[in-house]
Amino acid sequence: MKDISFNPGVYEPNWQAKWEADKLYRSVMDESKPKHYALTMLPYPSGDLHIGHWFSMTPPDARARFKRMQGYNVLFPMGFDAFGLNAENAAIKQNIHPKKWTYANIERMRKQMRTMGAMFDWEREAVSSDPEYYRWTEWFFIQLYKHGLAYRKKATVDWCPKDNTTLAREQVKGDERVCERCGTPVIKKELEQWFFKATKYADELLRFDGIDWPEFIKVSQTNWIGRSEGASVIFKTEAGDPIEIFTTRPDTLWGATFMVMSPEHPLVDRVTTPENQQSVSEYKAQAEKQTDIQREAKDKEKTGVFTGGYAINPVNNERIPIWVADYVLMSYGTGAIMAVPAHDQRDFEFARKFGLKIVPVIQLEGVELNGDTQEAAHEHEGVMINSGPFDGTPATNDKGMKNPAIKAVTEWLEQKGIGKRDVNYRYRDWLISRQRFWGAPIPMVHCETHGWNPVPDDQLPVLLPNDIDEWKPTGESPLKFHPTWKDATCPVCGEYAVRETDTMDTFMCSSWYHMRYLSPHNDQAPFDEAEYNYWMPVDTYTGGSEHANMHLLYFRFFHKALRDLGITEGNEPVMQLRNQGMVLAEDNRKMSKSRGNVVAPDVLVQRYGADTVRAYLMFFARWQQGAPWDSNGIEGIARWMRRVWTLFTDPYGASDSAGAASDQAKKNLRRKVHQTLKRVTHDFENFEFNTVISSLMELSNEMYKAREAGAAGTPEWEEAKEYYLKMMAPVAPHITEELWTNHLGKPYSIHQQKWPNVDESAAKEDTIEIPVQVNGKVRDRITVASDASDEEIKSAALASEGVQKYLEGKEPRKVIVAKGRLVSVVV
RNA sequence: GCCGAAGUGGCGGAAUAGGCAGACGCGCACGACUCAAAAUCGUGUUCCCUCCGGGAAUGAGGGUUCGAUUCCCUCCUUCGGCACCA
């Protein structure tokens, strides 16, 4: 006697163990099949797996399973982004080595992940803090260095005072300019640091040709890179020193009535006259003290001081004063601007406040501008005036060379040798140094004589020391205080050299993990070439959108840089990107331990089983949207699971009419099955997981009715059962395996079955009910054969009672037949 | 301010290509089973009215159309990105 009690707590772990023992989810290269690389963002091992992890992993797992059933050779790997500050902060707090903390968490999370019943290929697991992994992270750094893409430079950088480390610009967020990790406002520091030359790829990163990425990610990256087209122009001080400026509006050059330099500009002291010395240095000191937030506040009153120095406007030889003001940033353009108060609102406000000259050079036809009375800058189109040879040239609202005024002036500047066409970017090189312990060491040594040199390949990896017990954040890497770790040998002369004690940004580790999955234990190369050629590029990448301008930009850069080094192929690492939304807590806020509103998946799995949790995560919200958690809703899915269980384990139900179903009932059942198959196939393909579930629910409801009508035992019923389990298998791998193998007695495993094909003729309705509208309102419904002609439908509609009533004997003005959908009668 | 995404019952959401708005589920109400509860099953559930039948309704207003949740315009709200970027 078969056990028909519904007990996921027993069969789920049993199947998980069997699948693993049978290596059911091993993905090995197989040239006979098309490949599908489904990648999902790997987690930080920061503690327990939370419901957000389940939300980001199990629906993509279902899709990967669906792809596999469709005949693809699917790779769906998992790993851990294991370096990072969490581990180090725990070390400080609990006085435990970050390695110990990290690996204990990984072990726990692995166990938790196994309860998901996901098709992760654990033999391909990669952990970024394993020496066999970070050896190659270091190796990549050296490759970039050797090709001039990694360099060391002193610069003003963002510093998180809480995490005590520098940050890349991408890791500083929002108006408040806070640290991406901990939310602390960042400060500026002048430090010598390692950078990657990401800006070399700015233009290429703006192109998304041939990749299917969400619009808002592309827009976000485009904004982040912030390309502006314009011209650079050389002004000269009266003493003859050149001051280069960048402008997007060379057409307004004749209206440049003063210049403004950033307080940090190197020429400030040279142009400042003795009598202005004091006020200028006071202003500089004050600017230095201010935080970025204060300084860059949008509604801030303009401040500034006159240097006493003058420059010559190269287009009209006007002598114009040079001011210093903090609204000009050293970090953008050249740190100096030509000020055109008539046509730039910021310059306008500044000029009004300090009584500087305003000369309009573009005005609308018939609307005369006057610098003395103008109330705001005129930033739009018009015709050039007061501009020597260019008077009368039309200026449009177009940016760059599309604007005839900009084009004409730029070409003239180039002829005259005063300036040239130029492009500026917001985007900055990637600051990679972190003053922290738990990261991949930067594999460089410094020798008094030979400067910086990479650690030779045969000495990689540079390992992190185990014998360290001082974690207090000092603003410098704890590695610096280890008694011997930093002692090294210069690879050029063999004399003493000092090791770099900063570690790399963990985003470096996650820039290439998708390639390490290909051969995680290869000790000859970061990855096996044959594996690369077979699996890459990633076909589908899923994860959170918070990485839009961080990870998702870094790894595009990384791929392109490696391509130029001959390591990777193709222009993009990922073809299709999809982002899941966020699971909020029931109180509609973010889940967090401190608020005590987190939903623990372990508890849910214990209570309902993994299949139910998986299905609920697919059902409770649009996956790409996310929603607040609803702890009641899961009951509906639990009910559905039990109903499916009952439907399959009690095949005849209460009906004693098995096999007695009418031909019509059997046909209807088969139609519903194939319509569902069509829908489910489409929805899996398009990440519409919620409707996969609702379609399956509809079908099981239909099957209950069909069984009642005597369908059990018929071929249609057998097909329905078989197809049902196949369609449900990606969603709920355990219950379907249990029913398939143990109750239907079909060959193990359901997960190796082929996805069924839709029988279009079975899916087609033979009669259809068509609503009939009179003046846009539904007044009746007619039933016609699905292949009825427009003429037949029309006459049936006109003959219907509802239409006759509203026609009141008159002729309709117009009748529209929308094939198979609706008839619209206009009276 | 600029750019992007979204706005549908009490709630999550559904609606291939412009064609029956509210599928599926939660919640709620009533009923069956039960000594009772849970579970299960059944019925109902957008709002309004004079409840036969009709009217209104997809953030607001307008447009195109025989017909708009879907397309266009204006606006509002929420979320996200950028922002004294020259």
Side-chain angles (χ1 to χ4, degrees):
Chain A
M1 175 92 189
K2 259 184 236 166
D3 179 15
I4 58 161
S5 61
F6 176 62
N7 203 343
V10 173
Y11 65 69
E12 286 192 353
N14 286 346
W15 284 119
Q16 285 161 12
K18 179 159 172 62
W19 294 332
E20 190 151 353
D22 295 346
K23 295 182 184 292
L24 193 69
Y25 303 129
R26 274 293 282 134
S27 10
V28 291
M29 289 191 283
D30 178 353
E31 295 291 351
S32 71
K33 282 185 187 168
K35 65 94 184 177
H36 180 82
Y37 188 173
L39 181 69
T40 190
M41 289 181 190
L42 82 181
Y44 289 106
S46 54
D48 287 299
L49 219 56
H50 54 75
I51 200 74
H53 289 122
W54 277 69
F55 191 58
S56 70
M57 292 173 189
T58 56
D61 171 64
R63 192 169 183 276
R65 288 170 170 281
F66 159 73
K67 283 281 173 192
R68 172 167 155 157
M69 290 176 80
Q70 277 191 319
Y72 289 93
N73 186 20
V74 175
L75 172 59
F76 187 58
M78 185 42 65
F80 293 93
D81 192 6
F83 275 135
L85 279 168
N86 277 322
E88 210 170 330
N89 290 341
I92 293 159
K93 220 163 143 184
Q94 305 166 22
N95 198 27
I96 173 177
H97 194 286
K99 189 191 212 170
K100 221 171 148 184
W101 184 88
T102 301
Y103 283 83
N105 282 346
I106 288 178
E107 203 39 54
R108 186 160 72 247
M109 288 169 83
R110 272 186 196 130
K111 281 208 187 97
Q112 292 173 320
M113 278 186 198
R114 280 180 155 84
T115 70
M116 286 178 178
M119 58 175 285
F120 300 132
D121 177 357
W122 287 105
E123 288 183 41
R124 290 181 179 271
E125 184 201 49
V127 178
S128 67
S129 59
D130 284 348
E132 65 171 2
Y133 186 105
Y134 72 77
R135 165 184 180 167
W136 299 107
T137 309
E138 294 175 3
W139 183 84
F140 279 123
F141 181 97
I142 293 169
Q143 303 313 306
L144 292 172
Y145 177 80
K146 285 183 175 165
H147 289 82
L149 290 169
Y151 65 94
R152 195 174 159 87
K153 184 179 88 172
K154 188 164 190 173
T156 311
V157 298
D158 295 303
W159 175 271
C160 173
K162 177 146 181 262
D163 288 338
N164 273 291
T165 183
T166 50
L167 296 172
R169 283 168 46 104
E170 289 80 10
Q171 294 153 29
V172 178
K173 294 276 157 188
D175 279 358
E176 273 78 47
R177 299 191 51 77
V178 297
C179 167
E180 169 265 326
R181 259 204 79 262
C182 68
T184 309
V186 301
I187 57 173
K188 291 282 189 200
K189 276 201 178 188
E190 187 81 10
L191 289 170
E192 205 175 296
Q193 302 278 290
W194 290 98
F195 292 86
F196 287 153
K197 217 171 201 159
T199 51
K200 185 179 170 192
Y201 295 89
D203 271 321
E204 207 192 325
L205 287 166
L206 288 169
R207 291 200 297 272
F208 298 89
D209 308 336
I211 60 174
D212 170 18
W213 281 36
E215 192 57 30
F216 89 98
I217 298 278
K218 294 193 278 188
V219 168
S220 185
Q221 296 199 347
T222 303
N223 285 345
W224 182 258
I225 292 166
R227 182 181 196 274
S228 344
E229 235 181 273
S232 57
V233 183
I234 314 266
F235 283 58
K236 279 194 176 131
T237 65
E238 283 191 303
D241 292 317
I243 308 178
E244 191 181 355
I245 60 105
F246 172 75
T247 177
T248 53
R249 296 294 305 275
D251 54 329
T252 63
L253 260 163
W254 282 261
T257 51
F258 59 100
M259 293 189 82
V260 186
M261 285 175 160
S262 156
E264 294 84 14
H265 196 283
L267 276 177
V268 169
D269 291 333
R270 270 182 74 92
V271 300
T272 303
T273 56
E275 55 269 32
N276 291 287
Q277 202 74 60
Q278 199 187 337
S279 55
V280 169
S281 41
E282 274 168 17
Y283 187 80
K284 279 173 66 176
Q286 185 212 332
E288 203 175 326
K289 264 194 301 198
Q290 285 190 329
T291 64
D292 274 16
I293 324 152
Q294 290 167 333
R295 210 170 137 171
E296 289 171 20
K298 59 194 159 195
D299 43 7
K300 201 185 117 182
E301 174 98 355
K302 296 275 175 296
T303 62
V305 287
F306 180 42
T307 61
Y310 285 84
I312 304 300
N313 183 339
V315 298
N316 56 11
N317 293 319
E318 292 269 339
R319 181 169 175 266
I320 59 176
I322 304 172
W323 284 64
V324 174
D326 64 5
Y327 79 92
V328 175
L329 309 174
M330 198 58 218
S331 55
Y332 185 80
T334 62
I337 61 157
M338 66 166 192
V340 184
H343 304 290
D344 181 289
Q345 188 57 26
R346 291 155 303 171
D347 298 343
F348 179 83
E349 285 164 25
F350 193 82
R352 274 283 179 267
K353 179 162 177 187
F354 295 104
L356 297 160
K357 203 160 109 183
I358 299 176
V359 177
V361 291
I362 288 172
Q363 63 184 25
L364 288 168
E365 208 100 43
V367 186
E368 199 164 311
L369 281 176
N370 181 331
D372 299 330
T373 56
Q374 220 177 319
E375 278 172 17
H378 174 74
E379 295 183 322
H380 311 286
E381 62 192 344
V383 173
M384 292 177 70
I385 54 163
N386 298 329
S387 299
F390 292 95
D391 283 358
T393 308
T396 61
N397 285 329
D398 291 315
K399 290 178 175 172
M401 298 299 269
K402 267 183 272 171
N403 186 327
I406 293 177
K407 186 169 192 279
V409 173
T410 307
E411 282 165 0
W412 180 82
L413 288 171
E414 289 187 340
Q415 264 173 33
K416 293 262 169 190
I418 305 169
K420 61 176 204 304
R421 193 176 164 177
D422 203 0
V423 176
N424 247 279
Y425 301 89
R426 266 190 93 252
Y427 194 43
R428 290 285 160 269
D429 281 342
W430 178 8
L431 165 51
I432 203 91
S433 307
R434 294 294 177 274
Q435 292 67 47
R436 301 299 304 229
F437 170 83
W438 192 236
I442 294 175
M444 299 293 291
V445 295
H446 186 262
C447 158
E448 288 287 322
T449 326
H450 299 99
W452 287 103
N453 277 291
V455 172
D457 275 4
D458 60 7
Q459 289 171 33
L460 295 183
V462 176
L463 288 168
L464 289 169
N466 288 322
D467 55 332
I468 185 159
D469 42 34
E470 190 48 72
W471 304 107
K472 287 210 184 63
T474 60
E476 292 189 283
S477 168
L479 290 169
K480 205 164 197 164
F481 304 103
H482 188 280
T484 55
W485 189 82
K486 62 183 174 300
D487 299 335
T489 312
C490 172
V492 181
C493 62
E495 294 296 311
Y496 180 81
V498 184
R499 211 178 274 297
E500 169 66 66
T501 54
D502 285 352
T503 53
M504 284 183 244
D505 184 358
T506 52
F507 281 110
M508 168 83 177
C509 311
S510 54
S511 291
W512 71 282
Y513 75 106
H514 55 295
M515 298 189 280
R516 192 59 182 170
Y517 286 147
L518 303 177
S519 34
H521 308 298
N522 189 332
D523 59 4
Q524 302 301 309
F527 54 81
D528 187 82
E529 214 181 309
E531 295 266 351
Y532 184 97
N533 292 337
Y534 181 74
W535 294 108
M536 283 291 283
V538 172
D539 295 279
T540 301
Y541 194 20
T542 51
S545 57
E546 67 276 12
H547 286 295
N549 294 341
M550 296 193 290
H551 166 65
L552 290 172
L553 197 49
Y554 294 139
F555 96 143
R556 286 183 67 218
F557 151 72
F558 206 74
H559 183 92
K560 290 170 192 297
L562 296 192
R563 175 204 60 200
D564 289 349
L565 270 51
I567 299 173
T568 58
E569 275 174 24
N571 292 331
E572 295 284 345
V574 163
M575 294 293 105
Q576 181 186 46
L577 174 73
R578 288 295 180 271
N579 303 109
Q580 81 273 6
M582 208 187 313
V583 184
L584 298 171
E586 274 181 286
D587 57 13
N588 219 338
R589 299 189 301 175
K590 276 191 184 181
M591 286 191 198
S592 81
K593 278 184 198 157
S594 57
R595 291 196 184 109
N597 59 4
V598 295
V599 173
D602 291 1
V603 176
L604 295 171
V605 170
Q606 207 159 33
R607 183 149 160 211
Y608 298 102
D611 286 338
T612 299
V613 178
R614 290 170 60 102
Y616 185 53
L617 285 166
M618 290 177 219
F619 182 65
F620 93 106
R622 283 182 278 212
W623 183 73
Q624 296 180 68
Q625 203 80 37
W629 183 255
D630 175 4
S631 54
N632 290 319
I634 195 169
E635 291 293 343
I637 295 290
R639 229 163 265 157
W640 172 54
M641 286 288 164
R642 285 192 294 264
R643 275 170 66 82
V644 169
W645 180 264
T646 309
L647 188 64
F648 281 82
T649 53
D650 177 14
Y652 298 99
S655 172
D656 52 6
S657 56
S662 66
D663 285 353
Q664 192 56 51
K666 288 188 281 186
K667 196 169 180 186
N668 288 347
L669 173 63
R670 184 143 199 269
R671 179 183 310 123
K672 186 70 181 174
V673 168
H674 284 268
Q675 286 175 343
T676 305
L677 178 59
K678 199 171 172 178
R679 174 101 210 242
V680 165
T681 305
H682 171 270
D683 290 351
F684 265 128
E685 196 62 60
N686 292 287
F687 299 84
E688 289 162 15
F689 302 109
N690 54 344
T691 46
V692 167
I693 310 290
S694 62
S695 301
L696 288 172
M697 284 174 169
E698 277 184 50
L699 180 54
S700 55
N701 291 344
E702 206 64 36
M703 284 172 72
Y704 264 96
K705 282 182 204 153
R707 192 177 66 176
E708 214 47 49
T714 65
E716 288 81 2
W717 179 251
E718 292 308 312
E719 185 193 61
K721 287 203 294 183
E722 182 185 324
Y723 281 26
Y724 197 90
L725 290 182
K726 284 180 179 175
M727 287 189 276
M728 191 181 177
V731 174
H734 312 87
I735 188 176
T736 49
E737 184 80 286
E738 178 73 13
L739 292 171
W740 179 266
T741 310
N742 287 345
H743 290 271
L744 296 189
K746 304 257 186 193
Y748 169 85
S749 157
I750 189 166
H751 304 301
Q752 288 167 312
Q753 302 303 313
K754 192 108 185 22
W755 191 255
N757 289 321
V758 179
D759 179 343
E760 291 288 352
S761 63
K764 205 172 151 207
E765 306 278 352
D766 33 39
T767 62
I768 43 174
E769 201 191 53
I770 297 179
V772 183
Q773 292 185 343
V774 179
N775 287 343
K777 294 233 182 317
V778 178
R779 297 302 182 184
D780 209 338
R781 288 151 205 284
I782 53 168
T783 304
V784 296
S786 62
D787 55 359
S789 70
D790 284 5
E791 264 321 301
E792 287 169 311
I793 295 171
K794 184 175 167 179
S795 45
L798 288 177
S800 74
E801 207 182 306
V803 173
Q804 283 301 319
K805 188 175 149 192
Y806 282 89
L807 271 178
E808 292 168 339
K810 284 176 284 190
E811 275 299 300
R813 287 222 323 260
K814 200 171 176 185
V815 180
I816 294 136
V817 178
K819 190 129 192 94
R821 290 188 177 275
L822 175 137
V823 179
S824 183
V825 180
V826 189
V827 188

